[in-house]
Amino acid sequence: MEAHVQLQTAHQPYVSAMSPSSSSSSSSSSCSASVFPPSFSPIWTEPHDETGVLNRQQHYMAENGEASSTAGSANEIEWLRFIDITANGGMKWKDVEEQFDRLALTRHGVEPAIKSSDFGLCIGMQQSPEFANELLRTLRRRMDRNFDMTKCELYGYWCLMTDPRFDSRIRIYFDLCDKNMDGRVTEKDIKQIITLSASTNKLSLTHEEAEDYAALVMKLLDTENRSYLEFPQFRTLFNVMSLSKSSFSTNHFSIRLSRLHHNFDPTEEPRSKTEILFRSYWRRAWIVLLWLIICSALFAWKFTQYRHRAAFQVMGYCLSTAKGAAETLKFNMALILLPVCRNTITWLRKNRSINSIIPFNDNINFHKMIAGGIVVGVILHGGSHLACDFPRISDSDRMVFRQTIAARFGYHQPSYCEILATKEVATGIAMVVLMAIAFSLATKWPRRQSPSLPKSVRNITGYNAFWYSHHLFIPVYALLILHSMFLFLTNKATEKTTWMYIAVPVVLYAGERVFRAIRSGFYEVEILKASIYPGKVLSLKLQKPEGFRYLSGMYIFIQCPQISPFEWHPFSLTSGPEDDYLSVHIRTAGDWSYQIYSLFQEATLSGVDGYPKVHIDGPYGAASQDHVKYDIVVLIGLGIGATPFVSILKDVVNAAKKPHCDHSGCRECSSRKAPLKAYLYWVTREQSSFDWFRDIMKEVSISNQKQSLVEMHNFLTCVYPEGDARSVLISTIQALHHAKNGTDFLSRTPVRTHFGRPDWFDIFSKLARGHKEERIGVFYCGPSSAAKELERMCTRLSTKTSTRFVFHKENY
C-alpha cells in the first residue's frame, strides 16, 4: 500500500516522461518500468492485450497488499469513467493504439509520437478537447511543457484511467480539481471544475450559479470549516452522490435505470412473434388487402372485357393492359381524397366500433400508398398507349383497321403524331405532367429540402413548394373529366364511368374545404400571450372560441394572413381539454414557421399593443387521441415532439381530481376515460429546451403529488452519460441540489434529468416487469429512424414477456 500511495501522491507525472530520443523498439517491459513502482514485477504480455491489462492491475494490487474486488469493480467503473470500456463496443486499447498509429509523427531515429493536443482524440474525447487537455496536464502533474507523447506514455495513462480500483480514479479526479497540486481542493478549485464540466457538456451556467454550487459542495464536505478539502473528504463526495442517486429511485417523478438482468421471468408464457405481428398490424393488413383485391378485380374485369373486342385485333394485349390500368386509376383517383378528409375522419374516430377496425392513424400513409398505386397505373396506362397502342394503330394493316376501329377515326388511319394531337391524348399528357410535378415535390427529399439535393433544386423545393404544387389536383381532376369524355373506342355513356367513381369523394372533399373556410372565419381568435423561448420556439396562448371542444392529443391548423392567406400548418394543442384557453408551441423548421416566429418576436420585443392576427381550424384527431384506450400509456417525445403529450398529462391529472371518477374501481364511472398511469420520456439535446414546458411540468408535478399517476423523465443528450468523468460533478450537484431544494437544477422542475440517450431496452424491460399481463399503449412523436427502433422494441418485448406493448406514431 505504501508504494501505491507514493505512486499517486508524489509530485511527479503519473508516468515518467520519456525523452523524445527513446528508442522505438522499447519492449512492453520497458514501458512497464515507467508506469509502475520499482517493486512491481510485470507479468503481462503485449500492450494491446486487454486481458493483460486486467491481470497486470490485479497483480499490482496483490503486490501492494490490496484486496481485489472483482464484484464491485464493474459497478464502480460505471460511476467514474475517464474512458468508456464497459459498454458493448466500448473503447479498447487496440482502438487507442490504432488512433495513435494514424496520428503519430515519425522522424529518423526518434520513437513515433503524437502531439499533446491529440491526446483527447486518441482516448475518445475529441468532442471535449478542453477537458482532455486539462486531464493530460493532471496526469503530467501540471507540467506546462507541451512535449510530444510516445505510445508507452499513452499506454501508461490508459492503465491509470482504466484502473478498476475506484480510489485510484478518484485520486485522478481529485488532482484534476487540485490546481496547485498541494493536496488541497478549495472552493475556487471546485468552481473552476464546475465551470469546465458545464462548458464541456454545453450547459448554461452563470458564474454566480457556479459559486453557489461550489459553496453547496464545500458546505457538505468541509465539516471542520478549513476552507479546503483533502482526499478523504473529497472521497466522501462520491459516497454521498451514490446515496443521493439511490434516493431518486424513490421519487415517483423519476426512474432508476438499473442494469436489469436480461433474463425474463420463466413463469411468463411468451407469445409467438406471428401472434404479436398479427395483433399489431391486422387492421392495416385487411385494409391494404381489400384495396389490392379491388384494384386487381377492376384490372381483371376491364382486361377481360377488351380482350374480346374488335380493337384487340389491332392493339392486342397492350389495349387490355391500358384499359385495365385505367379502371384502377379511376378508383384510386377517387379513393386518394378520402384519407385527407380530416373532418370526416375525426368524426368517424368517435365511433368506437368503426375506430376499432379502421386504422385512422395511418390515413397519411394510406394516402401515400394510393399515390404509389396511381403512379403504377399511369405507367401501365400511359406507357401501353404511347409505346404500343398508338404505334400499332398508325402501322396496322389497312384492311384490319377498316374492319375493326376505322369508324371511330372517321375512316382515316391516323399517324402517330396525329394521335398525339387528339383531345384524349393531350388531356392525358397534361394530367401526367401536373401529377409528376406534384408527386415529385411531395417526396421526402424535396419536401424537407435535403442537403443532398443540388442547391439550385433546393431553392425551388420545401414545404411551400409541396403545399402549392399539391393544389394542382384541381386542374388534374378537371382534365380527368375531360379526358373521360373523349374516348377513341366507344361512345356509350355507360362506359364513361369516371364521374361515377369520383363524384362522391370530390363533393365530400370540396364540402370539407368549404366547411373549413367558413369555420376558420368564425375562429379568428384573440392572442392572450406570446412567449419566445430558446431554440427559436414560439408559444401562443389563444382565447378558446365558444363551443370549441377537443380531446387531449388533438391538433389544429393555424394560418397567419400577414404571412399567407393560403397556408395552414398543423400544431398539437398543449393545453388540456379542461383549460379555458388554447396553447400551441411552434418551433422554426421552415419558411412559414420562421416568419411567424419573427413576427411575434418583433411584436414582443417592441412592446406594441396587439399581435399579428391568426386563424385556427380544427380540432382534428391524431394517434395520441387513442391514449384513452389504455390504462397504462408510455409517451415518448423527441425535442418538440413532446407537444402532443403535454395535454395528455394534464388530462390524466385533471381526470383524477373529478369526484365522480374513482380510479380504484370501475372505469365506467367517468364519462370520458383517462389512463390510470402515464409515463413521459422526453429526449432533448439542449438544456434550453426545458424552458418550453417548464411551467406545465411544474403544474403537473404539483397536481400529481398526491395521486402519483404520472412519471416524467427528461433525457439531455448533450450531457455525457452518468458516470463519465466529464459529467460526474454535474451529477453530484444535481443530486445535492435536488436533496436540498426538491428540484432538478438543469430543468428547474421536480423532474430529474437523466444524462445521455435513453436505454430503451432497460426502460421497456422495467415496464414489462412492473405491469405483467397488461396492455401498454406506446405513443411516439419524433424522427422516423427512432420510431422503427421503438416499434421493434415493442414487438420484441411483447413476444418475450406477458406484457403487450402497442406502438403508435404521430403522422401529420
Side-chain angles (χ1 to χ4, degrees):
M1 180 63 77
E2 181 181 354
H4 168 60
V5 173
Q6 181 182 359
L7 172 68
Q8 302 216 5
T9 60
H11 292 179
Q12 295 93 24
Y14 282 94
V15 182
S16 299
M18 294 199 175
S19 63
S21 62
S22 301
S23 172
S24 60
S25 62
S26 299
S27 64
S28 58
S29 296
S30 64
C31 284
S32 68
S34 63
V35 176
F36 297 99
S39 59
F40 170 61
S41 176
I43 61 169
W44 61 90
T45 54
E46 296 295 329
H48 62 270
D49 180 12
E50 286 82 15
T51 305
V53 174
L54 295 177
N55 289 338
R56 191 160 68 249
Q57 292 164 338
Q58 291 171 358
H59 181 76
Y60 175 64
M61 286 188 291
E63 286 284 324
N64 290 277
E66 297 184 13
S68 175
S69 177
T70 306
S73 62
N75 292 331
E76 289 179 340
I77 286 176
E78 291 188 0
W79 274 107
L80 182 57
R81 301 183 307 271
F82 291 96
I83 300 175
D84 190 0
I85 62 173
T86 58
N88 292 332
M91 180 168 281
K92 300 176 175 60
W93 167 248
K94 65 179 180 182
D95 302 321
V96 179
E97 192 173 27
E98 290 174 1
Q99 189 70 10
F100 178 92
D101 292 338
R102 281 195 293 268
L103 298 172
L105 301 173
T106 305
R107 294 183 293 272
H108 180 69
V110 179
E111 183 178 1
I114 61 171
K115 296 179 180 178
S116 297
S117 57
D118 291 331
F119 174 70
L121 192 60
C122 284
I123 64 170
M125 287 191 181
Q126 59 269 25
Q127 300 297 328
S128 46
E130 186 179 357
F131 189 92
N133 291 337
E134 193 64 26
L135 176 60
L136 178 59
R137 291 187 67 240
T138 299
L139 294 171
R140 286 179 166 176
R141 311 302 290 181
R142 305 293 173 188
M143 290 186 175
D144 293 328
R145 289 184 298 159
N146 193 26
F147 50 80
D148 292 344
M149 182 184 302
T150 64
K151 185 182 292 187
C152 275
E153 184 183 359
L154 178 61
Y155 182 65
Y157 297 152
W158 161 270
C159 293
L160 289 167
M161 290 185 292
T162 58
D163 193 328
R165 291 166 301 163
F166 195 28
D167 277 1
S168 178
R169 298 193 308 279
I170 294 178
R171 170 63 69 175
I172 297 177
Y173 201 85
F174 176 82
D175 290 341
L176 184 68
C177 299
D178 183 10
K179 301 297 181 181
N180 298 327
M181 301 306 289
D182 59 358
R184 296 177 178 181
V185 172
T186 64
E187 184 173 325
K188 181 181 178 181
D189 293 334
I190 294 178
K191 176 190 172 183
Q192 289 178 347
I193 203 67
I194 289 174
T195 304
L196 175 63
S197 298
S199 172
T200 301
N201 290 279
K202 301 180 178 67
L203 298 178
S204 176
L205 198 67
T206 65
H207 288 289
E208 291 76 13
E209 289 174 328
E211 289 177 355
D212 291 341
Y213 299 143
L216 182 63
V217 173
M218 290 297 294
K219 182 178 180 181
L220 176 71
L221 301 182
D222 186 17
T223 56
E224 300 179 6
N225 296 322
R226 296 187 297 178
S227 300
Y228 64 85
L229 302 176
E230 293 183 334
F231 182 74
Q233 291 82 33
F234 191 82
R235 173 68 171 83
T236 308
L237 180 64
F238 291 85
N239 295 335
V240 172
M241 183 180 66
S242 176
L243 293 173
S244 299
K245 183 182 178 184
S246 299
S247 69
F248 271 118
S249 63
T250 63
N251 189 315
H252 61 269
F253 297 120
S254 59
I255 184 172
R256 185 181 180 186
L257 298 182
S258 56
R259 300 301 303 181
L260 300 173
H261 298 292
H262 292 176
N263 299 317
F264 297 101
D265 190 347
T267 61
E268 296 182 6
E269 183 178 351
R271 299 184 181 92
S272 68
K273 188 173 183 178
T274 303
E275 177 188 357
I276 295 300
L277 291 175
F278 175 78
R279 288 189 179 188
S280 300
Y281 300 110
W282 72 268
R283 295 194 303 166
R284 301 178 193 175
W286 84 263
I287 290 289
V288 173
L289 183 62
L290 178 63
W291 176 69
L292 291 173
I293 290 173
I294 293 174
C295 289
S296 301
L298 290 172
F299 182 90
W301 170 49
K302 277 298 177 183
F303 186 93
T304 304
Q305 188 181 79
Y306 275 84
R307 170 70 179 80
H308 298 94
R309 296 207 173 175
F312 185 82
Q313 299 178 39
V314 177
M315 291 171 275
Y317 285 104
C318 294
L319 175 63
S320 297
T321 301
K323 289 300 180 180
E327 204 67 20
T328 65
L329 278 172
K330 297 176 189 178
F331 172 67
N332 285 326
M333 288 296 288
L335 189 63
I336 198 170
L337 294 175
L338 298 182
V340 289
C341 291
R342 300 178 187 272
N343 285 293
T344 303
I345 291 176
T346 301
W347 177 71
L348 290 173
R349 279 177 180 271
K350 298 176 182 178
N351 188 302
R352 295 181 63 87
S353 300
I354 297 176
N355 197 18
S356 64
I357 60 174
I358 298 179
F360 291 116
N361 296 336
D362 291 304
N363 63 317
I364 299 301
N365 292 330
F366 190 50
H367 178 77
K368 294 176 181 178
M369 185 180 71
I370 298 169
I374 290 174
V375 171
V376 173
V378 167
I379 292 172
L380 288 176
H381 179 70
S384 296
H385 276 331
L386 294 172
C388 184
D389 291 336
F390 299 164
R392 287 188 178 186
I393 291 174
S394 60
D395 298 336
S396 65
D397 183 87
R398 290 185 175 272
M399 184 64 66
V400 175
F401 176 79
R402 283 182 171 275
Q403 294 176 349
T404 53
I405 59 174
R408 298 299 310 143
F409 292 90
Y411 295 98
H412 167 68
Q413 187 170 0
S415 66
Y416 189 85
C417 291
E418 288 175 328
I419 296 175
L420 294 181
T422 60
K423 297 183 183 69
E424 296 92 328
V425 180
T427 54
I429 292 175
M431 275 194 297
V432 171
V433 171
L434 294 177
M435 287 193 291
I437 294 172
F439 183 86
S440 300
L441 294 175
T443 52
K444 182 178 178 180
W445 287 359
R447 182 176 177 177
R448 298 184 179 180
Q449 292 184 306
S450 173
S452 60
L453 295 173
K455 186 176 181 180
S456 58
V457 176
R458 289 202 305 272
N459 291 335
I460 59 172
T461 58
Y463 185 86
N464 287 344
F466 153 76
W467 175 257
Y468 289 112
S469 66
H470 243 54
H471 285 78
L472 292 173
F473 80 92
I474 297 174
V476 165
Y477 276 92
L479 288 169
L480 179 61
I481 296 296
L482 291 174
H483 183 72
S484 66
M485 292 173 63
F486 304 100
L487 298 179
F488 284 130
L489 305 178
T490 183
N491 272 330
K492 295 180 181 180
T494 55
E495 293 193 20
K496 298 179 179 181
T497 58
T498 301
W499 69 272
M500 299 181 186
Y501 281 97
I502 68 173
V504 173
V506 167
V507 170
L508 179 63
Y509 183 79
E512 282 226 357
R513 294 298 294 262
V514 172
F515 174 72
R516 289 176 59 182
I518 295 173
R519 182 174 62 178
S520 63
F522 287 112
Y523 285 168
E524 182 179 339
V525 294
E526 179 185 352
I527 299 175
L528 304 177
K529 183 181 179 182
S531 302
I532 304 297
Y533 290 117
K536 293 187 177 180
V537 170
L538 169 67
S539 172
L540 296 180
K541 187 176 181 180
L542 313 172
Q543 182 184 27
K544 190 175 184 179
E546 185 177 354
F548 189 95
R549 297 178 180 178
Y550 64 98
L551 301 175
S552 55
M554 286 185 165
Y555 65 95
I556 59 174
F557 279 88
I558 294 182
Q559 177 219 55
C560 182
Q562 193 169 337
I563 299 175
S564 170
F566 305 110
E567 289 188 52
W568 293 83
H569 294 263
F571 297 98
S572 297
L573 288 164
T574 53
S575 52
E578 306 295 331
D579 294 333
D580 58 357
Y581 61 89
L582 303 177
S583 65
V584 294
H585 287 69
I586 303 171
R587 184 172 191 179
T588 55
D591 296 339
W592 186 91
S593 57
Y594 182 80
Q595 285 177 291
I596 194 170
Y597 174 85
S598 299
L599 284 175
F600 279 90
Q601 183 184 42
E602 182 180 352
T604 302
L605 296 178
S606 62
V608 297
D609 293 333
Y611 294 104
K613 290 184 178 181
V614 296
H615 298 271
I616 66 171
D617 176 46
Y620 294 103
S624 299
Q625 187 182 339
D626 289 340
H627 71 277
V628 296
K629 297 180 179 179
Y630 304 92
D631 287 339
I632 303 163
V633 294
V634 175
L635 313 172
I636 302 173
L638 271 60
I640 202 66
T643 50
F645 307 132
V646 173
S647 64
I648 295 178
L649 297 181
K650 287 186 174 183
D651 199 23
V652 171
V653 174
N654 291 335
K657 294 179 181 179
K658 295 180 179 179
H660 62 277
C661 182
D662 181 11
H663 285 286
S664 62
C666 179
R667 287 295 302 273
E668 282 71 17
C669 59
S670 175
S671 60
R672 179 165 54 85
K673 293 184 178 180
L676 298 175
K677 186 74 174 181
Y679 299 88
L680 172 68
Y681 298 93
W682 182 24
V683 185
T684 184
R685 69 178 64 171
E686 297 172 352
Q687 181 190 6
S688 58
S689 303
F690 294 134
D691 293 349
W692 305 344
F693 308 116
R694 176 172 296 128
D695 293 338
I696 297 173
M697 286 195 166
K698 286 181 178 179
E699 177 186 342
V700 173
S701 300
I702 294 171
S703 303
N704 186 53
Q705 285 178 351
K706 293 182 180 180
Q707 292 91 357
S708 187
L709 300 176
V710 176
E711 287 191 9
M712 296 183 288
H713 317 286
N714 298 331
F715 288 85
L716 189 57
T717 59
C718 70
V719 180
Y720 292 97
E722 293 174 355
D724 192 295
R726 290 164 288 187
S727 64
V728 69
L729 193 56
I730 302 297
S731 297
T732 306
I733 295 169
Q734 181 192 45
L736 296 176
H737 191 274
H738 194 282
K740 179 182 178 182
N741 304 304
T743 59
D744 182 87
F745 89 101
L746 294 174
S747 66
R748 294 180 173 83
T749 68
V751 185
R752 187 201 172 196
T753 302
H754 303 279
F755 300 159
R757 299 182 182 277
D759 187 333
W760 294 119
F761 186 82
D762 275 355
I763 291 173
F764 277 79
S765 297
K766 181 178 177 64
L767 291 169
R769 291 175 182 273
H771 301 285
K772 295 181 179 180
E773 304 292 341
E774 295 192 76
R775 189 165 166 262
I776 300 177
V778 179
F779 296 85
Y780 170 80
C781 185
S784 299
S785 56
K788 295 176 182 178
E789 176 191 352
L790 289 168
E791 190 169 13
R792 286 194 298 267
M793 188 68 65
C794 290
T795 302
R796 178 183 177 187
L797 269 295
S798 295
T799 58
K800 299 295 184 182
T801 69
S802 61
T803 306
R804 185 186 170 203
F805 295 91
V806 185
F807 184 77
H808 303 264
K809 182 185 181 297
E810 287 288 341
N811 295 300
Y812 294 105

